[in-house]
Amino acid sequence: MHRWCLLAVVCSGVLVAIARPGQAVGGSHKMEVVKQWNLLNFNFPWDYPAASKEFYNPENVVATGLEVGYDRIFIATPRLFSGVPATVSSIPRGTNGDSPVLQAYPDWTHHRAATKEYNCSDIGLVSVYRLRIDSCNRLWALDAGVSRSLEDFEVTCPPKILVYDLHTDQVVRRIDFPPEVVRRESLYTNLIVDETTSRPENNCDDVFVYITDTVAPGIVVYDSGKDLTWRVSHPAMYPDPDFAESSILEHRFTLMDGIVGLAFDMEAGIVYFQPLATDRIFSVTTAALRAGPLPFGKDLPVKLVGRKSSQGIGLGASPRGGTIFYAPLSETAVASWNPRTNEHQILAQDQEKIQFAADLRTPDRDGTALYVLTSKFHRFFLKNLDANEFNTRILRIDGVAIPSGQLATQSHLRPTVPYDTLHGNAYYHPSVVLPVPYKPLGPVLPPTATTSNPLSVFNTQNMPFGHGLFTKQSTFGHSTILQQGKPSQPFFALNNGEKSFPPSLGSRPQYGASGSPIFVPKLNQNFNDLNLLRYRKSVPVNQTALH
């Protein structure tokens, strides 16, 4: 098993950090293990058939989503394979020790899909990949509705969102998506709850929600104030076949997942996203997403933000300050980059603990902390899991995020009316004044400002385009190392100088992330094919075929 070190090389005023076998690197911040499990176990009711692997197979239960509440941590375990008992669970934040038993949330009646005794009209969950808590202390559970997505992809029910009031653990809203925004192969995997224009008196029922469709790539936008939904798509949301194969230590696996990672800069109104099968991060403004369905012939204004050294799935952002957090798979690291100041840091690097960071969270409920959920998904996927090792971890890195300050000003955190008591479309209702068991945290001061030289790290030999852990894109297909020092312009705006994506000129490099030639060579150099993420409107028959 290789271990890595950082070798700093100064060349022509550019600071480059190169990865070489030898020494472990810990990063610039202390990382603590909050919880860790060999295999996930649940608080089964007495009559649950846990002895049957059809209903509970611990080697098939993979954690992909994390959310941190005031008193509990919530974990999403989608039905990637058979044998997943509950798709949303919780553990108390104050418990000690490893491998705590997961408590099915809110109770086992919401997880009847595990025993195939489920009706789609029931208030329950099929398969949840990600969870989010809004400022009204409500949990948004995005239900993909697909069972065994990595086996036979059974569409059990249409996708939906259930919103739980965490004071009462009751469903206060159910959002069913219209068939116009759902494709036959749709898989809804991630969401952002945008409260930037929400009014306190509306109890978070006037937010916008941005949802990723990973298999039929696109973003679904839900306007909860008007109860309207639409869908937008762009070639940047599709997987890149040049990056279909990912590697973590000695393990390699192929997974062509489209858009899945999401992060939200609420100050700038920008959503960052990334497919799994790519080395790039893209952005789009919330104004463009909120504008409604795109007219015929108009493209979504997506921008290419930069490139990483390898693929990644988890993506996060500081509530304030504009910092992006990401975790490239091959480097088993968590890093940050601020597009406004060009500051770049390796926050933590650990070959054992940071294997496949599936979700990155910066909850206001925990001040300046960044939470990282790692799952060793590749070992579950390849069926070579070692049950004697810790395979799932919740990690915490403190002092890296700046809280939004919203929780200190919210005065409407109180229980709301359970969904079961509502009728028709009566979603908008006044709050019920009851004792509030969990109070919002007080204002938290931002972390002390630090300066760091922006680095391009983990650069490997034989990589002609200077791939770093994160490199700023100057021209499409040719990355440059992040320059040392801060921009001289004091009003350097986010996305300043970025190129529209995709550009009209320029070609992709003929090398993948490993430095080897791409495995799908272009048969016709004049054909604007998938390698440029653009499609010609019509192509003569067999024009690209070998003769």
Side-chain angles (χ1 to χ4, degrees), residues 403-458:
S404 68
Q406 284 185 337
L407 294 183
T409 61
Q410 297 288 353
S411 60
H412 57 284
L413 295 181
R414 55 176 70 96
T416 48
V417 177
Y419 174 83
D420 293 341
T421 66
L422 302 178
H423 302 282
N425 293 322
Y427 289 126
Y428 311 104
H429 46 76
S431 295
V432 178
V433 180
L434 294 174
V436 180
Y438 316 120
K439 296 182 179 180
L441 300 176
V444 181
L445 295 177
T448 304
T450 59
T451 58
S452 62
N453 292 327
L455 303 177
S456 174
V457 298
F458 301 121

Side-chain angles (χ1 to χ4, degrees), residues 465-485:
F465 298 100
H467 284 261
L469 192 61
F470 205 105
T471 56
K472 184 71 175 179
Q473 194 78 6
S474 58
T475 58
F476 186 63
H478 298 278
S479 59
T480 58
I481 305 300
L482 290 175
Q483 299 299 315
Q484 189 172 3

Side-chain angles (χ1 to χ4, degrees), residues 274-289:
Q274 63 179 3
L276 169 61
T278 188
D279 66 339
R280 303 166 188 232
I281 292 180
F282 305 93
S283 71
V284 62
T285 64
T286 56
L289 295 175

Side-chain angles (χ1 to χ4, degrees), residues 6 17 25-29 326 332-336 344-349 452 455-458 469:
L6 296 183
V25 177
S28 59
H29 290 75
Y326 57 99
T332 61
V334 178
S336 67
H344 182 253
Q345 295 185 66
I346 307 169
L347 303 180
Q349 195 273 337
S452 62
L455 303 177
S456 174
V457 298
F458 301 121
L469 192 61

